[in-house]
Amino acid sequence: MAEAKGITTPMVSSLKLSKFGTDTLPDATEYRSIVGALQYVILIKTEIVFYVNKVCQFLATPLLSHWQAVKRILRYLLSTCLQGLLLQPSKAVSKFSICAYNDSDWASDLGDRRSTSGSCIFFSPNLVSWSAKKQPLVARSIDEAEYRGLAHTTSDIFWIQSLLVELKIPVTLLCSYVTMSMQL
């Protein structure tokens, strides 16, 4: 990996990892070691949280496809090691704004058919909260998966809003977007 070429994305969007397969790794020690190290990396490289969580689900019996996904994450880190979150001062306004974005997929995990929701919340121009997690229940439709994700994001917004009220910071809810995608 020392001479690997960097890439711009940590995982192919169409990749569906599964715990079922016959191409098991002969020695999973290196896989577990690197995935464990990646769990520490997510503290400073937050954009890979979802992908590291994905490969962590296969620590018991990793397959060759899981190992290739880990190597792709490492190649992504190689090309983005000098990038990070930019925090900007807010303009002097009487009220600050909260803006949230949410998206969910439907039954993306081939093993248990649960959906994954992701969200990010901005306080003025700065990202202050983000989440990507598997939903606790199996959704019966894409709409149900989207509504569950939206409910989680809404509760996060209310928590942030109540914290800001407690700190006596005036805030308005500027926008909230749900991206609904159709899957056939």
Side-chain angles (χ1 to χ4, degrees):
M1 290 295 305
E3 296 156 8
K5 188 176 177 183
I7 53 174
T8 58
T9 58
M11 192 174 283
V12 179
S13 61
S14 61
L15 180 65
K16 300 285 186 188
L17 296 175
S18 173
K19 62 182 175 181
F20 304 109
T22 58
D23 57 341
T24 57
L25 290 175
D27 183 20
T29 307
E30 187 176 16
Y31 178 87
R32 291 183 184 116
S33 175
I34 291 175
V35 171
L38 285 173
Q39 289 178 328
Y40 287 102
V41 173
I42 63 174
L43 296 174
I44 56 171
K45 296 292 282 181
T46 56
E47 73 270 19
I48 64 167
V49 170
F50 174 79
Y51 310 107
V52 172
N53 180 4
K54 201 61 153 164
V55 295
C56 281
Q57 295 176 16
F58 308 106
L59 287 172
T61 54
L63 304 174
L64 187 58
S65 57
H66 306 146
W67 177 241
Q68 290 169 343
V70 168
K71 289 196 299 189
R72 184 173 177 99
I73 294 170
L74 293 174
R75 290 177 56 206
Y76 170 77
L77 290 174
L78 179 68
S79 69
T80 61
C81 63
L82 299 177
Q83 296 176 356
L85 281 176
L86 175 64
L87 296 177
Q88 304 171 9
S90 296
K91 297 175 185 164
V93 293
S94 60
K95 285 196 172 188
F96 296 101
S97 63
I98 295 176
C99 186
Y101 300 90
N102 178 57
D103 192 18
S104 299
D105 65 0
W106 181 45
S108 64
D109 190 318
L110 299 176
D112 59 10
R113 305 305 294 167
R114 291 192 297 175
S115 305
T116 303
S117 295
S119 67
C120 58
I121 302 172
F122 290 85
F123 177 62
S124 291
N126 299 309
L127 180 66
V128 293
S129 176
W130 56 92
S131 170
K133 61 189 280 187
K134 205 186 279 191
Q135 294 180 357
L137 300 171
V138 177
R140 294 182 183 164
S141 68
I142 191 166
D143 293 333
E144 183 180 348
E146 294 286 355
Y147 287 130
R148 286 181 190 276
L150 185 59
H152 179 72
T153 303
T154 303
S155 68
D156 286 348
I157 291 170
F158 283 136
W159 183 86
I160 290 171
Q161 197 171 21
S162 68
L163 175 66
L164 294 172
V165 166
E166 205 172 301
L167 295 173
K168 297 185 182 355
I169 298 173
V171 66
T172 58
L173 183 61
L174 180 65
C175 56
S176 179
Y177 294 104
V178 178
T179 306
M180 297 186 78
S181 57
M182 298 300 291
Q183 292 187 2
L184 301 174

